[in-house]
Amino acid sequence: MNLFDEGGFFPQSMVDVWSELPGLLINVIFASLFLGMTFPSIKKMWEISGPQITFAHFISWGMYVVGTLLTLLILTPVFGMNPAAGALLEISFVGGHGTAAGLSGTFEAVGFEEGRDLAIGLATIGVLTGVFLGMVGGQKRKNRDY
């Protein structure tokens, strides 16, 4: 019997199991985030996290506004893109790969099956851009400090 008679190193049955793992394992990540931590008072939490929460909302809502406007004004009328594409920026850059994969059922429910692939592609662009810009910024800082 040849190794590739049953689908190679990764037969379809294995790929099917693996495709379910991201949705299950994200629960383990979030369930374990605060194990062993003592929570500060509400006032102290807001002092520490308030500016970041405000900034994150500003960026997230901005992505929805920009994405929705681009979709309504250009992508849908000119290219016939599904209006749900307006949420791709926020899903991809704030949510990342896990959110993009987790929303595949939602994309299917609104008739935008290609949205999952587009969101994962945009999330990859976001990660790579962050890494490369971080390396360039770190190198410039390193050169300036010496």
Side-chain angles (χ1 to χ4, degrees):
M1 183 166 111
N2 187 343
L3 172 68
F4 296 103
D5 289 342
E6 298 296 322
F9 287 112
F10 305 112
Q12 188 60 41
S13 60
M14 185 179 291
V15 173
D16 291 341
V17 170
W18 285 352
S19 68
E20 297 297 321
L21 289 178
L24 297 171
L25 294 178
I26 195 68
N27 294 317
V28 175
I29 300 294
F30 283 110
S32 63
L33 278 177
F34 297 109
L35 289 178
M37 292 188 67
T38 304
F39 288 101
S41 68
I42 299 290
K43 181 179 178 185
K44 185 67 175 172
M45 277 193 267
W46 182 252
E47 287 174 7
I48 294 169
S49 62
Q52 180 62 35
I53 291 171
T54 304
F55 179 69
H57 274 273
F58 180 77
I59 295 296
S60 292
W61 287 106
M63 285 187 187
Y64 275 122
V65 169
V66 169
T68 302
L69 286 175
L70 284 174
T71 301
L72 292 176
L73 298 175
I74 298 170
L75 296 177
T76 299
V78 176
F79 299 106
M81 181 73 90
N82 188 309
L88 286 176
L89 283 178
E90 207 277 338
I91 290 168
S92 303
F93 293 111
V94 176
H97 292 90
T99 301
L103 287 173
S104 61
T106 304
F107 286 127
E108 291 173 10
V110 297
F112 188 44
E113 291 81 9
E114 63 273 15
R116 176 186 176 272
D117 295 329
L118 290 170
I120 289 174
L122 286 171
T124 302
I125 290 170
V127 168
L128 292 174
T129 302
V131 167
F132 290 127
L133 289 179
M135 289 186 323
V136 169
Q139 187 63 37
K140 285 183 179 180
R141 176 174 287 138
K142 180 181 172 186
N143 291 338
R144 188 178 56 226
D145 290 342
Y146 291 112

